[in-house]
Amino acid sequence: MGRRRGRAPGHDPDFTFVSPVVKYLLFIFNFLFWIISLVLVSIGVYARISKHAETALACLSVDPAIMLLVVGVLMFILTFCGCVGSLRENICLLQTFCVCLTVIFILQLAAGILGFVFSDKARHRVSEIINDAIIHYRDDIDLQNLIDFGQKEFACCGAVTYADWSQNLYFNCSSSNPSRERCSVPFSCCLTSTDQKVINTMCGHGMQELEYLEAGKHIHTNGCIDKLVNWIHSNLFLLGGVALGLAIPQLVGMFLSQVLINQIKDQIELQNYNLKHRVDPWS
């Protein structure tokens, strides 16, 4: 400590090891994410209140509104520790902030590695989620719009094949199904031309009764899982950039908090040193 402090700090009553740049940079960093956490909580509360169908997104295992609330609350608590800890120079709060960020970073890294290593299990889980979404397609308009958007965007139909839509109560192809949409698929499965101005919502009618090659003349017959996997393989650099963009703020937060913690410890040691030599000048 004596070597880092030298003679000047001991004789300068205004000297401090705590850098205002590090202190307020960490505060601003946490304050921005604190605002984001409030936005997430607000969106989650609004989505939960406005959602009338309790089983609307049960197929997704976790309600996105609840997920937003949990993430928002955790982020709020974490960034609150960072804000107060940096302003008050509180080592306990800063250490809590740094440790939590480190744990979150490690969990994210582990999840990415496990997802890559156990890609077959991840693929199977995604297939289950999509099939559950197909079953609940008509239960909620938001889920319906989400599935239609995904099928249009990836030019796909169903999880593995267009016949997966038979799992839905309305599109089921059994002879006992009285639905008008029996053996059909959603219009988002249909092939569309660029000059088509009016969407034919009945274009998927009876497509499940056709053979694969014949149905392929009217709709997308390949499932969305294969298209999604191909998209991931084609956009690895983009996904890597997104992952890096999520990791950098966490690394910055961990670095700034650790630097500030060390500076505060040095400052406490300096104060103890000055106090000791004021009380006992002969020691």
Side-chain angles (χ1 to χ4, degrees):
M1 179 65 191
R3 184 176 61 183
R4 284 182 296 170
R5 187 178 64 248
R7 292 179 57 86
H11 296 283
D12 185 0
D14 297 325
F15 178 83
T16 177
F17 280 104
V18 178
S19 170
V21 175
V22 175
K23 177 179 177 178
Y24 290 106
L25 189 61
L26 182 60
F27 170 75
I28 293 173
F29 173 85
N30 281 281
F31 183 75
L32 291 175
F33 282 93
W34 183 73
I35 296 297
I36 294 175
S37 70
L38 289 178
V39 174
L40 291 179
V41 171
S42 301
I43 295 175
V45 171
Y46 173 78
R48 190 62 184 169
I49 292 176
S50 62
K51 184 65 65 177
H52 300 291
E54 290 296 326
T55 59
L57 296 178
C59 59
L60 299 181
S61 301
V62 179
D63 190 334
I66 298 298
M67 187 178 297
L68 280 177
L69 281 173
V70 172
V71 172
V73 170
L74 291 177
M75 186 184 294
F76 178 87
I77 296 173
L78 186 60
T79 52
F80 180 79
C81 289
C83 284
V84 177
S86 58
L87 283 181
R88 302 293 298 175
E89 299 180 11
N90 188 299
I91 292 179
C92 181
L93 290 177
L94 288 173
Q95 285 179 334
T96 301
F97 172 75
C98 186
V99 170
C100 289
L101 269 187
T102 303
V103 171
I104 292 173
F105 180 78
I106 292 174
L107 289 176
Q108 289 175 341
L109 186 63
I113 294 174
L114 290 175
F116 179 78
V117 174
F118 299 101
S119 57
D120 290 339
K121 290 185 177 180
R123 179 190 178 98
H124 177 70
R125 179 54 184 161
V126 171
S127 178
E128 288 181 345
I129 292 175
I130 295 178
N131 284 327
D132 286 340
I134 288 174
I135 294 173
H136 295 277
Y137 177 75
R138 291 295 191 197
D139 294 349
D140 179 71
I141 188 63
D142 294 333
L143 176 62
Q144 182 174 318
N145 291 334
L146 178 63
I147 294 175
D148 287 336
F149 172 80
Q151 292 192 146
K152 289 179 182 177
E153 194 69 19
F154 291 101
C156 58
C157 189
V160 179
T161 178
Y162 67 101
D164 291 335
W165 279 101
S166 192
Q167 300 176 78
N168 184 274
L169 178 65
Y170 298 93
F171 299 121
N172 185 273
C173 214
S174 61
S175 57
S176 59
N177 184 13
S179 172
R180 294 181 179 180
E181 297 179 301
R182 190 181 75 86
C183 290
S184 300
V185 295
F187 72 92
S188 55
C189 291
C190 297
L191 299 174
T192 57
S193 58
T194 55
D195 58 345
Q196 185 176 355
K197 296 181 180 180
V198 179
I199 298 176
N200 179 15
T201 57
M202 298 297 294
C203 60
H205 185 74
M207 287 296 127
Q208 292 186 57
E209 294 180 312
L210 302 180
E211 294 295 332
Y212 184 85
L213 294 178
E214 184 63 25
K217 298 177 182 179
H218 307 280
I219 63 172
H220 301 290
T221 52
N222 292 326
C224 294
I225 294 180
D226 290 334
K227 291 295 185 74
L228 180 61
V229 170
N230 292 336
W231 183 87
I232 292 175
H233 288 163
S234 303
N235 295 272
L236 287 178
F237 286 107
L238 175 62
L239 295 175
V242 172
L244 185 62
L246 293 175
I248 287 178
Q250 297 175 8
L251 294 174
V252 170
M254 287 187 285
F255 174 75
L256 290 176
S257 59
Q258 194 57 52
V259 169
L260 187 56
I261 288 172
N262 292 334
Q263 291 178 348
I264 295 172
K265 288 181 178 178
D266 286 345
Q267 183 64 22
I268 293 174
E269 189 174 344
L270 174 61
Q271 291 172 350
N272 292 336
Y273 174 87
N274 290 336
L275 182 61
K276 176 182 177 181
H277 283 75
R278 274 201 305 270
V279 175
D280 186 9
W282 299 104
S283 60

